[in-house]
Amino acid sequence: MRKWLLVVIMAFIVVSQGMVFAAPKWDAVVDKIEKTMDQSLTVYKSGDTAGAKKIVNDAYYGMYEKDGLEKAVNSTVSAKRANLTEYKFSTIKKLMTNQAPEADVKKQMKELIGMMREDIAQMDGGGKQSSSMATFWPAFLIMVREGAEAILVIGAIIAYLIKSGNSEKTQVIYNYSGAAIVASFLTAILFRSVINLSGASQEIMEGMTMLVAVFVLLSVGHWMSSKSDEKSWGNYIEGKVQSSLTKNNTFSLGVAAFLAVYREGAEVVLFYQALFNDAGDDMQMIWLGFGAGCLALVVIFAVVRYGSVRIPLKPFFQGTSILMFILAISFAGGGVKELQEGGLIGVTLLEGMPMFDLLGIYPTVETLLPQLFLILMVAGNVMYQKRKKIREVVS
């Protein structure tokens, strides 16, 4: 099983190297957008607000986004600049909705086209390269975190079987774990094909995916915190294995291993989809992070399975819980931002506020409110857990 797993990993790394980004002539793209925006203004002057906004959407989804200019600006100029351009499209539609004077709408359109001209001039001059490692590290850490948790479960089950004199049943664990890895890849393919929409529908679907990921991240973080001491972890593993051994039921033992691996694999699919949604021109860095994470997991598995080194559970679980929370904050901001792009949520800009794209912090009221709620919720939970432990010690 370990041999073909390495083959799969190396295949993904090789495929990732072939992913390149071919840029069209950006001047022609901006010319097309400018012509479309002029058409929108003409329709707006005629009194057809809905028709004018639809044409603005065509310019954004069908040209700025689809033709790749947004991704190019994101990776070559800055993520902040790409987001400001996106907000300018939203501002124009908001003005139209509010029946603003034609001169105000025209001014915003002129500024929008001017921003794009400045961006392509900067790209032609080399621009400011974004740090691809900012895309690599989340992909790598998610893979290692999720995979390490599965390895800890599988490694503990195998150790328990060997210690109890049931080493012949370890092959069942390997077989079902391999099946779970295959099922995770199939889930990724299915998930990608289902979510492969276009325009506003794609933005809304991506936003919903990221918000679901927030819920899963918080659940995983809470679960890990509850298993961070040796006694809780030992009880968890014993409960997984003992009933299967008592009934001599290798199927249920295999299912326990399958679910342990597939749960993490399904979470990886969900989290990686959220990363792909916001990757811009750095998709191959996600694949490189994935490949490096898989290789790291091979080493971790060898250490857990055959080595004498034990991973300290408490700092590992607590540290990764913090990582889960940070990712939840980032995904919450990114998810709401995608819904804003899809027109499902409004945009209330906070002028002058800095933007931290890596943490999913954007200068809008709508993206900041859920993040503030998450911070308060987690802070309240930490205080509750501390007081609970104090009461347990006193009693």
Side-chain angles (χ1 to χ4, degrees):
M1 187 197 81
R2 291 186 289 278
K3 290 183 179 179
W4 68 258
L5 179 57
L6 286 174
V7 171
V8 172
I9 294 170
M10 295 308 298
F12 266 86
I13 295 175
V14 171
V15 169
S16 72
Q17 298 300 316
M19 298 176 64
V20 296
F21 184 75
K25 298 291 185 180
W26 298 129
D27 282 311
V29 174
V30 176
D31 289 342
K32 186 167 61 171
I33 293 174
E34 184 175 20
K35 183 178 179 181
T36 303
M37 296 302 286
D38 288 341
Q39 180 186 354
S40 172
L41 185 61
T42 300
V43 173
Y44 180 69
K45 285 192 293 185
S46 72
D48 184 3
T49 301
K53 289 169 63 178
K54 182 180 181 302
I55 296 174
V56 173
N57 281 336
D58 291 341
Y60 175 73
Y61 295 119
M63 299 170 197
Y64 184 67
E65 186 180 79
K66 187 176 181 181
D67 289 344
L69 182 53
E70 182 181 39
K71 290 182 178 179
V73 171
N74 185 75
S75 62
T76 308
V77 182
S78 70
K80 178 179 179 180
R81 185 65 171 187
N83 287 323
L84 290 175
T85 304
E86 172 203 321
Y87 292 141
K88 185 67 74 172
F89 275 104
S90 298
T91 299
I92 291 170
K93 290 188 288 184
K94 190 173 183 179
L95 287 173
M96 290 179 171
T97 301
N98 296 335
Q99 299 296 309
E102 173 195 337
D104 292 348
V105 177
K106 186 175 182 179
K107 178 185 176 183
Q108 293 295 323
M109 288 182 174
K110 185 177 179 180
E111 290 179 3
L112 172 66
I113 300 302
M115 290 172 66
M116 293 183 189
R117 299 287 185 199
E118 291 174 4
D119 290 342
I120 60 175
Q122 190 171 349
M123 287 191 289
D124 290 339
K128 176 183 177 183
Q129 294 295 326
S130 65
S131 173
S132 295
M133 297 307 290
T135 304
F136 170 87
W137 283 115
F140 174 79
L141 290 174
I142 285 174
M143 192 66 200
V144 171
R145 198 227 71 82
E146 298 297 326
E149 184 181 325
I151 286 172
L152 284 174
V153 174
I154 296 303
I157 290 176
I158 290 173
Y160 193 98
L161 287 173
I162 294 174
K163 186 177 179 180
S164 62
N166 293 277
S167 57
E168 73 281 357
K169 292 185 172 65
T170 57
Q171 189 59 45
V172 175
I173 303 301
Y174 287 124
N175 292 340
Y176 276 81
S177 298
I181 293 173
V182 173
S184 296
F185 282 125
L186 293 176
T187 301
I189 295 171
L190 178 63
F191 198 89
R192 189 62 182 169
S193 63
V194 169
I195 204 171
N196 190 23
L197 305 172
S198 60
S201 298
Q202 180 178 0
E203 307 290 355
I204 292 171
M205 179 62 75
E206 290 175 351
M208 293 296 186
T209 300
M210 296 183 82
L211 294 180
V212 170
V214 171
F215 174 78
V216 176
L217 282 164
L218 293 176
S219 300
V220 171
H222 179 74
W223 181 87
M224 296 193 77
S225 295
S226 67
K227 300 292 184 294
S228 60
D229 63 87
E230 295 284 347
K231 184 177 180 181
S232 297
W233 180 250
N235 292 337
Y236 173 75
I237 295 300
E238 185 174 354
K240 286 284 185 184
V241 179
Q242 195 59 48
S243 60
S244 298
L245 294 179
T246 301
K247 300 174 183 177
N248 196 27
N249 188 345
T250 56
F251 174 76
S252 61
L253 189 63
V255 169
F258 179 92
L259 293 178
V261 175
Y262 182 71
R263 187 188 72 175
E264 307 309 322
E267 288 173 2
V268 168
V269 171
L270 182 64
F271 299 153
Y272 266 57
Q273 179 60 50
L275 290 177
F276 279 123
N277 292 346
D278 211 26
D281 191 26
D282 287 332
M283 284 194 180
Q284 76 174 34
M285 297 306 295
I286 294 180
W287 286 113
L288 288 174
F290 169 82
C294 287
L295 292 175
L297 290 178
V298 172
V299 175
I300 293 172
F301 177 79
V303 170
V304 171
R305 176 65 183 88
Y306 301 107
S308 58
V309 179
R310 294 184 62 192
I311 296 178
L313 291 177
K314 191 166 186 176
F316 174 78
F317 278 9
Q318 289 181 341
T320 51
S321 294
I322 293 173
L323 172 63
M324 295 295 97
F325 173 62
I326 294 173
L327 286 174
I329 292 290
S330 176
F331 284 3
V336 174
K337 178 176 171 289
E338 294 287 350
L339 296 182
Q340 287 176 324
E341 290 182 19
L344 199 63
I345 293 179
V347 177
T348 306
L349 280 172
L350 298 173
E351 298 292 343
M353 178 185 165
M355 182 185 306
F356 302 96
D357 191 66
L358 181 61
L359 294 177
I361 298 175
Y362 304 102
T364 71
V365 173
E366 292 80 5
T367 55
L368 291 172
L369 283 178
Q371 291 177 322
L372 178 61
F373 173 77
L374 287 178
I375 292 173
L376 294 175
M377 184 181 72
V378 172
N381 183 61
V382 170
M383 292 176 64
Y384 170 78
Q385 293 297 332
K386 284 186 176 180
R387 290 179 179 177
K388 183 179 177 181
K389 288 182 179 180
I390 292 173
R391 287 197 300 266
E392 289 175 353
V393 171
V394 173
S395 61

